[in-house]
Amino acid sequence: MKITNYLLSICIPTYNRFNYLTELVEDIFSQHGYSTSTIELIIAQDRFKDGQFCKKTEEYGKALEASFENITYNLTSKNLGLAGNWNNCVNLAKGEYCIILGDDDLFVEGALSTYLDLIARSNADIIFSNHLLIDDKGEVLENSYSNNEKFNRGDLNEGILLDPEKNIWQNAIPISTSAIKTFF
């Protein structure tokens, strides 16, 4: 029987990057464990424009879903595109908070625990962190740091933001690192 509510839903829209997807799932498992009532994983695979899809991703997703009660695999009925599949993932989520991670994203060591701790002890509508861009070897790209300046992230203090709307419009709050409350 699946749990109906989780603290955090990690939504992973995926298209055709099987190797990155498996690396992300393993990263989450290594930081938090395979079975939990705290987090759920939603893996939503979007079809190609011709209706086909990556069979390896389907087999992997179905195997995970069959093995773990906190994992849901979904194959779209048609190509939704990136934003459509984001919405698809979020609609499947059952968590109090939801975070959308690209299938090629990873958490830095300890980040998942930090998110869960902040969620458990705060009543924030959004909890976010900075993010770094990496290459296919996991090395941080230099433009990660210039993006901090470009998007005004260097000006953000830890804690409650006094003008969150301004920060959102400046793109200082990256979507891929934002855990957003789903129940208000």
Side-chain angles (χ1 to χ4, degrees):
M1 179 174 106
K2 289 208 178 230
I3 294 171
T4 56
N5 287 333
Y6 296 90
L7 191 57
L8 178 63
S9 297
I10 301 174
C11 297
I12 308 169
T14 189
Y15 184 68
N16 192 22
R17 297 189 285 202
F18 175 74
N19 292 340
Y20 287 133
L21 172 65
T22 59
E23 185 178 3
L24 170 58
V25 171
E26 289 301 318
D27 176 58
I28 292 167
F29 285 165
S30 72
Q31 288 196 39
H32 196 68
Y34 286 86
S35 182
T36 178
S37 61
T38 307
I39 65 168
E40 74 168 333
L41 299 183
I42 307 290
I43 300 169
Q45 180 177 193
D46 201 10
R47 289 183 183 265
F48 305 147
K49 289 182 178 166
D50 66 3
Q52 298 298 310
F53 55 92
C54 177
K55 301 281 190 211
K56 285 174 30 176
T57 299
E58 178 189 43
E59 292 168 6
Y60 179 70
K62 284 183 173 182
L64 287 171
E65 184 177 50
S67 299
F68 305 103
E69 69 180 39
N70 62 324
I71 298 179
T72 299
Y73 168 76
N74 174 263
L75 175 62
T76 61
S77 59
K78 63 179 184 174
N79 178 270
L80 301 177
L82 182 59
N85 203 20
W86 284 357
N87 291 337
N88 179 45
C89 278
V90 171
N91 287 334
L92 294 167
K94 299 176 200 82
E96 183 179 341
Y97 285 79
C98 180
I99 187 169
I100 301 172
L101 288 180
D103 56 7
D104 62 341
D105 291 343
L106 298 171
F107 283 109
V108 295
E109 189 65 38
L112 187 52
S113 295
T114 300
Y115 273 104
L116 292 169
D117 180 56
L118 289 169
I119 288 169
R121 62 184 174 89
S122 78
N123 193 29
D125 292 334
I126 299 174
I127 297 171
F128 69 95
S129 68
N130 201 354
H131 73 273
L132 301 172
L133 305 173
I134 58 174
D135 62 18
D136 59 351
K137 297 175 189 75
E139 300 295 323
V140 175
L141 298 175
E142 187 58 39
N143 62 344
S144 291
Y145 305 106
S146 61
N147 278 344
N148 286 343
E149 294 173 32
K150 178 180 176 182
F151 295 114
N152 303 301
R153 291 185 194 124
D155 299 335
L156 298 176
N157 294 321
E158 187 173 318
I160 297 173
L161 294 178
L162 299 179
D163 192 358
E165 187 174 343
K166 173 186 167 200
N167 297 123
I168 290 169
W169 286 109
Q170 290 176 327
N171 288 322
I173 301 173
I175 187 69
S176 63
T177 61
S178 296
I180 301 169
K181 188 178 263 188
T182 58
F183 304 127
F184 291 100

